[in-house]
Coordinates of all heavy atoms in Angstrom, one line a residue:
L394 N 22.6 18.4 -2.7 CA 21.2 18.6 -3.1 C 20.7 20.0 -2.5 O 20.0 20.8 -3.1 CB 20.4 17.6 -2.7 CG 20.3 16.3 -3.6 CD1 19.5 15.1 -3.0 CD2 19.8 16.6 -5.0
I395 N 21.0 20.2 -1.2 CA 20.6 21.3 -0.5 C 21.2 22.6 -1.2 O 20.4 23.6 -1.5 CB 20.9 21.3 0.9 CG1 20.1 20.2 1.7 CG2 20.6 22.6 1.7 CD1 20.4 19.9 3.1
L396 N 22.4 22.6 -1.5 CA 23.1 23.7 -2.1 C 22.5 23.9 -3.5 O 22.3 25.1 -3.8 CB 24.7 23.5 -2.2 CG 25.4 23.5 -0.9 CD1 26.9 23.1 -1.0 CD2 25.2 24.8 -0.2
L397 N 22.2 22.9 -4.3 CA 21.8 23.0 -5.7 C 20.3 23.6 -5.6 O 20.0 24.6 -6.4 CB 21.7 21.8 -6.3 CG 21.3 21.6 -7.8 CD1 22.2 22.4 -8.6 CD2 21.2 20.2 -8.3
N398 N 19.5 23.2 -4.7 CA 18.3 23.7 -4.6 C 18.2 25.2 -4.1 O 17.4 26.1 -4.6 CB 17.4 22.9 -3.5 CG 17.2 21.5 -4.0 OD1 17.3 21.3 -5.1 ND2 16.7 20.7 -3.1
S399 N 19.2 25.5 -3.2 CA 19.3 26.9 -2.9 C 19.7 27.9 -4.0 O 19.2 29.0 -4.1 CB 20.3 27.1 -1.7 OG 20.0 26.3 -0.7
W400 N 20.5 27.3 -4.9 CA 20.9 28.1 -6.2 C 19.6 28.3 -7.1 O 19.3 29.4 -7.6 CB 21.9 27.4 -6.9 CG 22.3 28.1 -8.2 CD1 23.2 29.2 -8.2 CD2 21.9 27.9 -9.5 NE1 23.3 29.6 -9.5 CE2 22.5 28.8 -10.4 CE3 21.0 26.9 -10.0 CZ2 22.3 28.9 -11.7 CZ3 20.8 26.8 -11.4 CH2 21.4 27.9 -12.2
F401 N 18.8 27.2 -7.2 CA 17.5 27.3 -8.0 C 16.6 28.4 -7.4 O 16.0 29.2 -8.1 CB 16.8 26.0 -8.1 CG 17.3 25.1 -9.2 CD1 17.8 23.8 -9.0 CD2 17.3 25.6 -10.5 CE1 18.3 23.0 -9.9 CE2 17.9 24.7 -11.6 CZ 18.3 23.5 -11.3
I402 N 16.4 28.3 -6.1 CA 15.5 29.2 -5.5 C 16.1 30.7 -5.6 O 15.3 31.6 -5.9 CB 15.3 28.9 -4.0 CG1 14.6 27.5 -3.9 CG2 14.5 29.8 -3.3 CD1 14.6 26.9 -2.5
Y403 N 17.4 30.8 -5.4 CA 17.9 32.1 -5.6 C 17.7 32.7 -7.0 O 17.3 33.9 -7.2 CB 19.5 32.1 -5.2 CG 20.2 33.4 -5.5 CD1 20.0 34.5 -4.6 CD2 20.9 33.6 -6.7 CE1 20.8 35.7 -4.7 CE2 21.5 34.8 -7.0 CZ 21.4 35.9 -6.0 OH 22.0 37.0 -6.2
K404 N 17.9 31.9 -8.0 CA 17.7 32.3 -9.4 C 16.2 32.7 -9.7 O 15.8 33.5 -10.4 CB 18.1 31.2 -10.3 CG 18.0 31.7 -11.8 CD 18.5 30.6 -12.7 CE 18.4 31.0 -14.2 NZ 18.9 30.0 -15.1
G405 N 15.3 31.9 -9.0 CA 13.8 32.2 -9.2 C 13.3 33.3 -8.4 O 12.4 34.0 -8.9
Y406 N 13.9 33.6 -7.2 CA 13.2 34.6 -6.5 C 14.2 35.7 -5.9 O 13.7 36.7 -5.4 CB 12.5 34.0 -5.3 CG 11.0 33.8 -5.6 CD1 10.6 32.5 -5.9 CD2 10.1 34.8 -5.6 CE1 9.3 32.3 -6.2 CE2 8.8 34.6 -5.9 CZ 8.3 33.3 -6.1 OH 7.0 33.1 -6.4
N407 N 15.4 35.3 -6.0 CA 16.5 36.3 -5.4 C 16.1 36.6 -4.0 O 16.2 37.7 -3.5 CB 16.6 37.6 -6.2 CG 17.1 37.3 -7.6 OD1 18.1 36.5 -7.8 ND2 16.6 38.0 -8.5
F408 N 15.6 35.6 -3.3 CA 15.2 35.7 -1.9 C 14.2 36.7 -1.5 O 14.1 37.2 -0.5 CB 16.5 35.9 -1.0 CG 17.5 34.7 -1.1 CD1 18.6 34.9 -1.7 CD2 17.1 33.6 -0.4 CE1 19.5 33.8 -1.8 CE2 18.0 32.5 -0.5 CZ 19.2 32.5 -1.1
N409 N 13.4 37.0 -2.6 CA 12.2 38.0 -2.3 C 11.1 37.1 -1.9 O 10.3 36.8 -2.6 CB 12.0 38.7 -3.6 CG 10.8 39.8 -3.3 OD1 10.5 40.0 -2.2 ND2 10.5 40.5 -4.4
L410 N 11.0 36.8 -0.6 CA 10.0 35.9 -0.1 C 8.6 36.6 -0.2 O 7.6 35.8 -0.1 CB 10.3 35.6 1.4 CG 11.7 34.8 1.6 CD1 11.8 34.6 3.0 CD2 11.7 33.6 0.8
S411 N 8.5 37.9 -0.3 CA 7.2 38.5 -0.5 C 6.4 37.9 -1.7 O 5.2 37.9 -1.7 CB 7.3 39.9 -0.5 OG 8.0 40.5 -1.7
K412 N 7.1 37.5 -2.7 CA 6.5 37.0 -3.9 C 5.8 35.6 -3.6 O 5.0 35.2 -4.3 CB 7.5 36.8 -5.0 CG 8.1 38.1 -5.5 CD 9.1 37.9 -6.7 CE 9.6 39.2 -7.2 NZ 10.5 39.0 -8.3
L413 N 6.2 35.0 -2.6 CA 5.5 33.7 -2.2 C 4.0 33.9 -1.9 O 3.2 33.0 -2.1 CB 6.2 33.0 -1.1 CG 7.6 32.3 -1.4 CD1 8.2 31.9 0.0 CD2 7.3 31.2 -2.3
T414 N 3.6 35.1 -1.5 CA 2.3 35.4 -1.1 C 1.7 36.3 -2.1 O 0.5 36.9 -1.8 CB 2.2 36.0 0.3 OG1 3.0 37.1 0.4 CG2 2.7 34.9 1.3
S415 N 2.3 36.6 -3.2 CA 1.7 37.5 -4.2 C 0.4 36.9 -4.7 O 0.2 35.7 -4.9 CB 2.7 37.7 -5.3 OG 2.9 36.5 -6.0
E416 N -0.6 37.7 -5.0 CA -1.8 37.5 -5.4 C -2.7 36.5 -4.6 O -3.6 35.8 -5.1 CB -1.8 36.8 -6.9 CG -1.1 37.8 -7.9 CD -1.0 37.1 -9.3 OE1 -1.8 36.1 -9.6 OE2 -0.3 37.7 -10.0
L417 N -2.3 36.3 -3.4 CA -3.0 35.4 -2.4 C -4.1 36.2 -1.7 O -3.9 37.2 -1.1 CB -1.9 34.9 -1.4 CG -2.6 34.0 -0.3 CD1 -3.3 32.7 -0.9 CD2 -1.6 33.6 0.7
E418 N -5.3 35.7 -1.8 CA -6.5 36.5 -1.3 C -6.7 35.9 0.0 O -7.2 34.7 0.3 CB -7.6 36.2 -2.2 CG -7.5 36.8 -3.6 CD -8.7 36.3 -4.5 OE1 -9.6 35.6 -4.0 OE2 -8.7 36.8 -5.7
F419 N -6.3 36.6 1.1 CA -6.5 36.2 2.4 C -7.9 36.2 2.9 O -8.5 37.3 2.8 CB -5.5 37.0 3.4 CG -4.1 36.6 3.3 CD1 -3.3 37.4 2.7 CD2 -3.6 35.5 3.8 CE1 -2.0 37.1 2.4 CE2 -2.3 35.1 3.7 CZ -1.5 35.9 3.0
S420 N -8.4 35.1 3.4 CA -9.9 35.1 3.8 C -9.9 33.9 4.7 O -9.0 33.1 4.9 CB -10.8 35.1 2.7 OG -10.7 33.8 2.0
W421 N -11.1 33.7 5.4 CA -11.4 32.6 6.3 C -11.2 31.3 5.4 O -10.8 30.2 6.0 CB -12.7 32.7 6.9 CG -13.8 32.5 6.0 CD1 -14.5 33.5 5.4 CD2 -14.5 31.3 5.6 NE1 -15.5 33.0 4.6 CE2 -15.5 31.6 4.7 CE3 -14.2 29.9 5.9 CZ2 -16.3 30.6 4.1 CZ3 -15.0 29.0 5.4 CH2 -16.0 29.3 4.5
F422 N -11.6 31.4 4.2 CA -11.5 30.2 3.3 C -10.1 29.8 3.1 O -9.8 28.6 3.2 CB -12.2 30.5 1.9 CG -12.7 29.3 1.2 CD1 -13.6 28.5 1.8 CD2 -12.3 29.2 -0.1 CE1 -14.2 27.4 1.1 CE2 -12.7 28.1 -0.8 CZ -13.7 27.2 -0.2
T423 N -9.2 30.7 2.6 CA -7.9 30.4 2.4 C -7.1 29.9 3.7 O -6.3 29.1 3.7 CB -7.1 31.5 1.7 OG1 -7.3 32.7 2.5 CG2 -7.8 31.8 0.4
S424 N -7.5 30.7 4.8 CA -6.9 30.3 6.1 C -7.1 28.9 6.5 O -6.3 28.1 6.9 CB -7.5 31.3 7.2 OG -7.1 32.6 6.8
I425 N -8.4 28.3 6.3 CA -8.7 27.0 6.7 C -8.0 26.1 5.7 O -7.4 25.1 6.2 CB -10.3 26.8 6.5 CG1 -11.0 27.5 7.6 CG2 -10.5 25.3 6.6 CD1 -12.5 27.4 7.6
H426 N -7.9 26.5 4.4 CA -7.2 25.5 3.5 C -5.8 25.3 3.9 O -5.3 24.2 3.9 CB -7.4 26.1 2.1 CG -6.6 25.3 1.0 ND1 -6.9 24.1 0.7 CD2 -5.4 25.7 0.3 CE1 -6.0 23.6 -0.2 NE2 -5.2 24.7 -0.4
Y427 N -5.0 26.5 4.1 CA -3.6 26.3 4.3 C -3.3 25.9 5.7 O -2.1 25.4 5.9 CB -3.0 27.8 4.0 CG -2.9 28.0 2.6 CD1 -3.8 29.1 2.0 CD2 -2.3 27.3 1.6 CE1 -3.7 29.4 0.7 CE2 -2.3 27.7 0.3 CZ -3.1 28.7 -0.2 OH -3.0 29.0 -1.5

Side-chain angles (χ1 to χ4, degrees):
L394 279 174
I395 292 175
L396 292 174
L397 183 63
N398 293 348
S399 300
W400 179 82
F401 273 125
I402 295 173
Y403 175 80
K404 184 176 180 181
Y406 267 102
N407 294 320
F408 295 106
N409 186 359
L410 297 180
S411 63
K412 294 184 179 181
L413 283 171
T414 58
S415 61
E416 301 182 16
L417 177 60
E418 301 170 359
F419 286 102
S420 65
W421 69 269
F422 200 59
T423 56
S424 300
I425 292 176
H426 173 68
Y427 290 112

